[in-house]
């Protein structure tokens, strides 16, 4: 499955990496690795591939991934939000 990122999601990732690095050195890299794992799990394990926007909570970070399946071949990440 092809994974696509919106420009908003790309900016969210850059911002969150800075936020987590400010908390602890190299935590931004840990976040990025965990994000990749979470996105791969979405693409592999999602049974109901709906065209509606869905949300997946990351396990190790207080972050929600907003995504939509454009079709059977494309997973589109629309935004990535940090929880308060």
């Amino acid at each position: 499955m092809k994974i696509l990122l919106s420009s908003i999601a790309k900016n969210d990732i850059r911002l969150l990496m800075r936020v987590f690095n400010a908390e602890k050195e190299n935590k931004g890299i840990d976040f990025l690795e965990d994000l990749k794992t979470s996105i791969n799990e979405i693409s592999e394990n999602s049974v109901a591939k709906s065209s509606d926007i869905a949300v997946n909570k990351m396990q190790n970070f207080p972050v929600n991934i907003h995504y939509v399946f454009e079709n059977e071949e494309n997973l589109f990440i629309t935004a990535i939000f940090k929880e308060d």
Side-chain angles (χ1 to χ4, degrees):
M1 176 166 287
K2 190 172 184 179
I3 298 170
L4 308 169
L5 295 172
S6 71
S7 59
I8 293 170
K10 290 177 187 177
N11 288 334
D12 293 342
I13 292 168
R14 289 184 194 106
L15 175 64
L16 289 170
M17 285 187 69
R18 287 194 300 265
V19 167
F20 290 125
N21 274 331
E23 291 177 8
K24 181 181 173 191
E25 188 176 346
N26 294 325
K27 191 173 180 182
I29 298 299
D30 294 338
F31 161 71
L32 188 58
E33 291 303 316
D34 197 52
L35 177 64
K36 289 177 187 177
T37 300
S38 295
I39 290 173
N40 284 331
E41 288 174 359
I42 291 169
S43 68
E44 293 171 2
N45 299 332
S46 187
V47 176
K49 295 185 177 176
S50 170
S51 61
D52 296 332
I53 292 181
V55 178
N56 186 52
K57 183 174 175 10
M58 290 179 63
Q59 289 186 351
N60 300 321
F61 288 88
V63 173
N64 290 321
I65 303 167
H66 294 244
Y67 64 94
V68 63
F69 288 97
E70 290 186 324
N71 53 42
E72 292 296 320
E73 298 175 11
N74 294 326
L75 170 62
F76 185 60
I77 308 298
T78 58
I80 300 171
F81 294 109
K82 185 175 186 287
E83 296 175 349
D84 289 332

